[in-house]
Amino acid sequence: MYFPPSYFQDEIREGFYIPGMTKRSWAAQMDVLEVVTKICDKHNIRWFAAYGTLIGAIRHRGFIPWDDDLDICMFRDDYERFNKIAKDELPKEYHLINIENNVEYDNFLTRITSGNVLDLSTDYLMTHHGFPYVAGIDIFPLDYLYPDEKKEEERRTKAAFLWELCDNINNSRDTRSYKDIVSEIELVCGVRP
């Protein structure tokens, strides 16, 4: 993706100072998005700008001046397909990180990154607009309502149960062991580890 050299100049936008390195971060994230977009286009996977990225695109015609990340979402079916396909189709230096392939990752989303360490190599800096850090984007699954009222009621019941359980744990109203809580979640949601 091409950005003119003037794009990387420090500037004040909407009263907020934006250093050139922040713009390099934005450009590197757009590179990651371009790779994701090519995979999605090839496999007919729909994605949408989300959260601050969507607000920025509409309100600021780009990134929100004080924002530092790029978020997209995919319908659940597309999200699951993307995660299966991307493992094999991302460039070798890119990383797909999610709860399914990294036991230490605790977010219910997928993150695609340009690497996994600070990289001062000439190739990396040239490819990512002089941004030596890991650049990435977050991909959120977008769930939807079931057209079948019975299935939708089951989904709502499970969601309410999980919400209440989390609230009880957070407010120390549930003192059961971790194992007992997980067993109940597995039973109610019909999942196994």
Side-chain angles (χ1 to χ4, degrees):
M1 184 169 284
Y2 175 75
F3 293 87
S6 61
Y7 175 80
F8 299 108
Q9 298 298 311
D10 296 353
E11 73 172 282
I12 295 177
R13 191 184 304 168
E14 299 177 41
F16 191 82
Y17 172 70
I18 306 170
M21 189 56 76
T22 296
K23 292 179 172 184
R24 292 182 187 286
S25 168
W26 292 346
Q29 290 174 57
M30 292 298 294
D31 289 339
V32 175
L33 180 61
E34 185 174 47
V35 167
V36 168
T37 298
K38 286 179 183 176
I39 293 170
C40 290
D41 288 349
K42 179 179 176 183
H43 295 281
N44 199 28
I45 294 173
R46 297 166 297 173
W47 65 269
F48 310 90
Y51 309 113
T53 301
L54 179 59
I55 292 169
I58 294 169
R59 187 172 66 195
H60 304 277
R61 301 195 191 291
F63 282 85
I64 296 173
W66 50 90
D67 200 2
D68 65 352
D69 69 344
L70 200 153
D71 300 318
I72 66 171
C73 64
M74 297 174 182
F75 288 119
R76 175 66 70 174
D77 293 343
D78 286 331
Y79 174 83
E80 290 176 2
R81 264 189 334 118
F82 176 82
N83 281 323
K84 288 177 185 169
I85 293 166
K87 288 187 293 192
D88 299 323
E89 295 207 13
L90 284 169
K92 64 178 172 44
E93 65 275 9
Y94 276 59
H95 294 271
L96 181 143
I97 306 163
N98 59 33
I99 202 165
E100 293 168 6
N101 68 10
N102 185 332
V103 296
E104 296 177 9
Y105 191 70
D106 62 356
N107 290 305
F108 291 101
L109 58 97
T110 292
R111 184 157 176 74
I112 305 295
T113 63
S114 60
N116 62 355
V117 295
L118 176 78
D119 192 339
L120 297 171
S121 69
T122 302
D123 285 346
Y124 187 87
L125 294 174
M126 292 295 288
T127 301
H128 298 291
H129 314 283
F131 187 69
Y133 306 100
V134 175
I137 66 170
D138 292 334
I139 305 173
F140 293 84
L142 183 61
D143 290 312
Y144 40 86
L145 303 178
Y146 285 104
D148 179 290
E149 288 184 33
K150 185 176 180 183
K151 283 186 176 183
E152 178 55 23
E153 184 55 35
E154 288 173 10
R155 186 198 64 78
R156 286 183 186 171
T157 300
K158 286 178 186 176
F161 159 75
L162 292 171
W163 182 264
E164 183 177 354
L165 181 64
C166 290
D167 187 53
N168 287 340
I169 293 168
N170 190 43
N171 291 305
S172 302
R173 290 188 299 262
D174 193 329
T175 57
R176 294 177 295 160
S177 72
Y178 171 77
K179 185 177 178 180
D180 289 341
I181 292 170
V182 169
S183 292
E184 184 178 10
I185 292 170
E186 290 172 352
L187 180 66
V188 169
C189 296
V191 296
R192 297 290 306 154

